């Protein structure tokens, strides 16, 4: 039997060293099983039926002929589906009524779930679902999103809707230079590779759901509330997730699967199609953002106003908090920001990678570039001149803020000093060349989490924590963190994640996952190490210690906690065709202690690729007559592909968070922030024309050149 002394003689410093993914072999060999691939005995398949009108009422559903089709087991709809309880407040507030499927005959938007056909095979379920006739009493709908909507209103999300200080009009009037412009971003969709999929079954009076999600604690809690179940009787597992980006929370397919499994008393799987995901899994709202900047001749800000408008559905309120980024980045004597929404007959938006910060930074960082041009000041110098010492709105100290160091290092490596500030001068054959920059930030938060660490009799350690690895390398990061906390080698640590039975833990979202989970793992591992008596034998069942970080997080002093970064881009623009090509990008980040450089660099690069996609490609377009998309698939909804992605460098400076036990901040989203603005600013430098509406399509480039 292994003794406690022999298990803690490890190499030092696993955190900070590059480590390949611990589940990498499983993924490349196909052994890793995703939610839609795990076999179950007696499995039935459900296929969602979605509304074909944008607003109205269900008049009737013709189920008789469908029930007679081969393999069909049942058709669930608002007349026969189990009743749900929606009168509760969950992890993220009141539930989105979209998840309370088949509870009434109202249709609030095109693509609303109106039925579920369950059959022996997926093919039978699909054929029957497409044959199901649903008749509607159609009503006029409104999906017109514009900046001048009189029914727009300010709303609080995870931050106050409005924040104000100082006399804005007076400071603008006293400013030597003023920028007053509107910027827009389109509707955008997550588009992860793995679709939403869930299998539900009852086993001995206990509900088990195998799912693809960003937090099994979250999903299990919501399902228990919706179905009025004892939380202990619900288990949700999510072993491997093929991308989430904010979309994989509680959705209609999980609830429908549980309903069908309850009615049929057999396992039921529901997998969404790509087209269904466009209406049922959330998206980034389009935005219109007005920025007003007033500055002295030397570029020092006197006034900053950022007013953002996004949309929400008529059934659930969600705000894209674009104005939040201005509350952190730059100070001014008068500082006014507002997040507003308008209710439309459209699906509810949701969190999407860097919610608020991604579209908000495009507007703010583009406006800063315009101010630098008007003042005749270098864009980096202007940002340095307006660097705040404390939170511009909160007045709180920063836990650390190394943005200027990011700009200095980035400028050195990118060759910024050799840049001629005059636009439209550099050429490479038919291409006009330009460079641009922008700042990035994203909050560094943490959620209460529990973890259990066991010293096993064979000399290894097992970590159990309800984390979600959505492709970020969470398993590997937690292995390294646990190894250091235990004083052992990573190959002696086995990390188990994605099971609500492990106890509550934070979600994989808001760049909080690794920070939240590592805190809990470190606490449990540290206590376990203290309890291991040198020379003592470990019993067969091992020694387990459990942690809970709730009190530790509550005791933190209030500070502005953020990751920061500086984005740089070089673009080439063909003035004859309007084509824009990004030639190179560089991002330098101050994002806390980097746990695994290998996966961290990929996270930063992935975020920057998304910035390219946001700047030049992504745009979901809706038909006003139907309320639906023109092309709800990955053929019609364009994203950046290999040919669009140039040489991208991502690196970081030393920036450990002194208030975190590992020094972690968060890296999942800051790589996206500012990237689109840096590209847009580079397009201006190449052509001399400013693009305030994303994406920067070839037709817009040609039109801007014509109008210049």
């Amino acid at each position: 039997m292994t003794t406690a002394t022999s298990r803690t003689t490890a190499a030092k410093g696993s955190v900070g060293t590059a480590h390949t993914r611990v589940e990498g072999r499983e993924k490349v060999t196909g052994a890793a099983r995703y939610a839609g691939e795990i076999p179950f005995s007696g499995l039935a398949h459900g296929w969602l039926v979605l509304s074909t009108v944008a607003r109205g009422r269900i008049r009737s559903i013709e189920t008789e002929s469908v029930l007679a089709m081969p393999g069909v087991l049942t058709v669930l709809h608002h007349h026969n589906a189990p009743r749900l309880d929606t009168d509760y407040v969950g992890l993220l507030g009141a539930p989105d009524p979209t998840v309370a499927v088949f509870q009434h005959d109202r249709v609030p938007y095109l693509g609303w779930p109106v039925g579920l056909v369950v059959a022996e095979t997926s093919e039978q379920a699909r054929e029957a679902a497409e044959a199901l006739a649903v008749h509607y009493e159609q009503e006029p709908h409104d999906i017109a999103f514009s900046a001048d909507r009189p029914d727009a209103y300010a709303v609080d999300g995870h931050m106050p809707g409005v924040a104000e200080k100082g006399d804005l009009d007076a400071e603008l009037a006293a400013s030597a230079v003023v920028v007053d412009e509107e910027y827009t971003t389109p509707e955008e969709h997550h588009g992860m590779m793995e679709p939403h999929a869930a299998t539900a079954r009852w086993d001995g009076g206990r509900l088990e759901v195998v799912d693809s999600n960003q937090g099994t604690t979250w999903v299990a809690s919501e399902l228990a509330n919706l179905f009025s179940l004892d939380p202990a009787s619900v288990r949700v597992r999510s072993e491997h997730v093929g991308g989430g980006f904010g979309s994989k929370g509680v959705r209609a397919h999980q609830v429908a699967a549980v309903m069908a499994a309850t009615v049929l008393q057999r396992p039921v799987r529901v997998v969404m199609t790509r087209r269904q995901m466009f209406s049922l899994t959330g998206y980034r709202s389009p935005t219109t953002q007005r920025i007003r900047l007033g500055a002295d001749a030397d570029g020092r800000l006197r006034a900053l106003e950022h007013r953002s408008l996004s949309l929400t559905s008529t059934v659930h309120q969600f705000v894209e908090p674009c104005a939040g980024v201005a509350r952190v980045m730059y100070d001014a004597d008068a500082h006014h920001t507002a997040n507003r929404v308008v209710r439309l007959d459209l699906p509810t938006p949701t969190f999407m990678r860097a919610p608020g910060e991604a579209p908000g930074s495009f507007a703010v960082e583009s406006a800063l570039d315009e101010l630098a041009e008007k003042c005749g000041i270098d864009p980096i110098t202007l940002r340095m001149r307006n660097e705040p010492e404390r939170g511009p709105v909160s007045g709180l100290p920063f836990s650390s803020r190394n943005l200027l160091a990011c700009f200095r290092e980035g400028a050195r490596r990118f060759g910024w000093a050799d840049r001629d500030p005059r636009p439209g001068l550099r050429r490479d054959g038919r291409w006009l060349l330009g460079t641009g920059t922008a700042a990035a930030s994203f909050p560094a938060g943490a959620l209460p989490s529990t973890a259990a660490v066991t010293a096993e009799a064979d000399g290894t350690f097992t970590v159990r924590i309800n984390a979600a690895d959505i492709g970020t390398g969470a398993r590997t990061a937690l292995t390294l963190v646990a190894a250091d906390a235990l004083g052992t080698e990573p190959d002696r640590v086995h990390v188990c994640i994605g099971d609500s039975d492990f106890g509550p833990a934070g979600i994989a979202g808001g760049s909080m996952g690794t920070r939240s989970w590592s805190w809990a793992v470190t606490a449990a591992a540290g206590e376990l190490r203290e309890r291991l008596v040198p020379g003592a034998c470990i019993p067969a069942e091992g020694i387990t210690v459990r942690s809970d970080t709730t009190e530790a997080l509550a005791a933190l002093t209030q500070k502005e906690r953020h990751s920061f970064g500086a984005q740089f881009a070089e673009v080439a623009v063909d003035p004859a065709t309007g084509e824009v090509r990004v030639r190179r990008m560089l991002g330098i980040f101050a994002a806390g202690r980097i746990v695994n450089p290998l996966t961290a660099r990929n996270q930063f690069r992935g975020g920057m690729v998304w910035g390219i996609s946001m700047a030049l490609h992504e745009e979901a377009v809706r038909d006003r007559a139907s309320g639906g998309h023109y092309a709800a698939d990955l053929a019609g909804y364009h994203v950046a592909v290999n040919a669009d992605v140039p040489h991208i460098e991502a690196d970081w400076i030393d920036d450990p968070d002194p208030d975190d036990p590992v020094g972690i901040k968060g890296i999942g989203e800051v790589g996206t922030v500012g990237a689109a603005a840096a590209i847009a600013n580079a397009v201006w430098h190449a052509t001399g024309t400013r693009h305030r509406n994303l994406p920067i399509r070839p037709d817009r480039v040609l039109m801007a050149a014509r109008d210049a």
Side-chain angles (χ1 to χ4, degrees), residues 259-303:
M259 283 182 168
T262 302
V263 170
L264 297 173
Q265 287 299 299
R266 61 185 287 187
V268 176
R269 174 172 294 157
V270 179
V271 180
M272 288 193 194
T273 67
R274 183 66 61 181
R275 182 170 289 272
Q276 288 172 345
M277 288 166 59
F278 272 77
S279 65
L280 288 182
T281 64
Y283 56 97
R284 199 193 307 277
S285 166
T287 72
T288 64
Q289 303 175 60
R290 186 185 182 189
I291 305 286
R292 289 200 292 172
L293 303 177
D296 293 335
D298 63 358
R300 190 188 72 83
L301 286 170
R302 300 179 65 104

Side-chain angles (χ1 to χ4, degrees), residues 255-436:
V255 179
V258 174
M259 283 182 168
T262 302
V263 170
L264 297 173
Q265 287 299 299
R266 61 185 287 187
V268 176
R269 174 172 294 157
V270 179
V271 180
M272 288 193 194
T273 67
R274 183 66 61 181
R275 182 170 289 272
Q276 288 172 345
M277 288 166 59
F278 272 77
S279 65
L280 288 182
T281 64
Y283 56 97
R284 199 193 307 277
S285 166
T287 72
T288 64
Q289 303 175 60
R290 186 185 182 189
I291 305 286
R292 289 200 292 172
L293 303 177
D296 293 335
D298 63 358
R300 190 188 72 83
L301 286 170
R302 300 179 65 104
L304 187 158
E305 181 185 34
H306 187 177
R307 293 171 60 84
S308 174
L309 177 67
S310 60
L311 68 82
T312 190
S313 70
T314 60
V315 294
H316 188 59
Q317 185 169 269
F318 180 88
V319 59
E320 182 76 18
C322 297
V325 67
R327 299 175 189 178
V328 174
M329 293 306 296
Y330 306 107
D331 201 0
D333 299 315
H335 201 291
H336 290 205
T337 53
N339 292 310
R340 300 179 304 138
V341 299
V342 60
R343 290 185 178 273
L344 298 175
D345 299 315
L346 289 169
T348 309
T350 193
F351 304 99
M352 185 164 162
R353 195 173 191 180
E357 276 77 8
S361 66
F362 165 66
V364 170
E365 295 298 316
S366 294
L368 260 290
D369 212 63
E370 298 200 51
L371 180 63
E373 178 197 353
K374 284 192 171 187
C375 292
I377 299 174
D378 177 80
I380 296 179
T381 302
L382 180 77
R383 287 168 173 83
M384 290 182 169
R385 202 160 285 175
N386 288 286
E387 177 72 359
E389 294 183 1
R390 302 175 73 86
V393 173
S394 69
L396 295 172
F398 289 97
S399 61
S400 64
R401 182 179 169 115
N402 289 310
L403 175 61
L404 299 190
C406 292
F407 269 117
R408 292 189 186 101
E409 177 63 13
R412 182 189 67 80
R413 290 174 56 168
F414 195 73
W416 190 262
D418 298 329
R419 177 184 190 260
D420 188 327
R422 295 172 297 173
L425 297 181
R426 288 180 61 210
R427 278 189 174 271
D428 179 9
R430 74 176 194 274
W431 298 95
L432 292 168
L433 305 182
T435 53

Side-chain angles (χ1 to χ4, degrees), residues 634-700:
L634 292 182
Y637 180 78
H638 292 175
V639 298
V641 297
N642 287 353
D644 301 305
V645 178
H647 177 65
I648 295 178
E649 290 185 77
D651 213 337
W652 47 85
I653 62 173
D654 191 41
D655 180 48
D657 187 332
D659 297 325
D660 184 272
V662 188
I664 296 169
K665 283 187 175 180
I667 64 173
E669 282 150 304
V670 71
T672 303
V673 182
I679 293 168
N681 292 338
V683 171
W684 168 81
H685 187 232
T687 64
T689 55
R690 181 70 60 177
H691 290 269
R692 303 184 182 96
N693 306 295
L694 295 184
I696 305 173
R697 303 187 311 251
D699 61 307
R700 287 177 168 169

Side-chain angles (χ1 to χ4, degrees), residues 7 108 129 200 247 278 307 410 515 704:
R7 69 179 59 247
S247 170
F278 272 77
R307 293 171 60 84
R515 179 177 166 107

Side-chain angles (χ1 to χ4, degrees), residues 404-666:
L404 299 190
C406 292
F407 269 117
R408 292 189 186 101
E409 177 63 13
R412 182 189 67 80
R413 290 174 56 168
F414 195 73
W416 190 262
D418 298 329
R419 177 184 190 260
D420 188 327
R422 295 172 297 173
L425 297 181
R426 288 180 61 210
R427 278 189 174 271
D428 179 9
R430 74 176 194 274
W431 298 95
L432 292 168
L433 305 182
T435 53
T437 190
S441 76
F442 197 80
L447 295 170
S449 299
T450 62
V453 181
T454 301
E456 306 288 1
D458 64 358
T460 63
F461 296 89
T462 301
V463 176
R464 293 177 178 86
I465 184 165
N466 196 8
D469 193 334
I470 57 175
T472 56
R475 277 185 185 81
T476 310
L478 294 176
T479 299
L480 302 181
V481 168
D484 277 6
L486 291 164
T488 192
E489 299 280 1
D491 60 7
R492 293 172 70 185
V493 177
H494 178 57
V495 175
C496 304
I497 66 171
D499 190 332
S500 62
D501 276 1
F502 294 161
I507 62 173
S511 292
M512 295 184 287
T514 302
R515 179 177 166 107
S516 302
W517 307 322
S518 295
W519 199 315
V521 168
T522 299
E527 184 179 340
L528 175 62
R529 192 172 181 181
E530 290 178 3
R531 286 178 54 180
L532 293 177
V533 179
C537 292
I538 305 300
E541 68 275 15
I543 298 176
T544 299
V545 170
R546 188 170 185 82
S547 67
D548 186 337
T549 62
T550 303
E551 290 186 7
L553 293 177
L556 284 174
T557 57
Q558 283 197 309
K559 293 181 182 179
E560 289 278 5
R561 293 182 171 86
H562 303 268
S563 294
F564 293 96
Q567 302 271 18
F568 295 83
E570 180 179 54
V571 304
V573 182
D574 186 337
T577 66
E579 181 182 1
V580 178
R581 286 283 176 186
V582 178
R583 288 200 166 184
R584 61 186 175 113
M585 287 191 76
L586 168 68
I588 302 293
F589 301 96
R593 190 178 182 196
I594 301 302
V595 176
N596 185 358
L598 185 63
T599 53
R601 185 165 278 109
N602 287 338
Q603 279 291 293
F604 287 132
R605 284 175 174 162
M608 294 166 73
V609 169
W610 202 322
I612 295 172
S613 201
M614 180 180 179
L616 304 180
H617 303 283
E618 295 192 44
E619 181 180 25
V621 180
R622 289 187 179 269
D623 174 16
R624 287 200 176 187
S626 70
H629 293 106
Y630 279 110
D633 52 49
L634 292 182
Y637 180 78
H638 292 175
V639 298
V641 297
N642 287 353
D644 301 305
V645 178
H647 177 65
I648 295 178
E649 290 185 77
D651 213 337
W652 47 85
I653 62 173
D654 191 41
D655 180 48
D657 187 332
D659 297 325
D660 184 272
V662 188
I664 296 169
K665 283 187 175 180

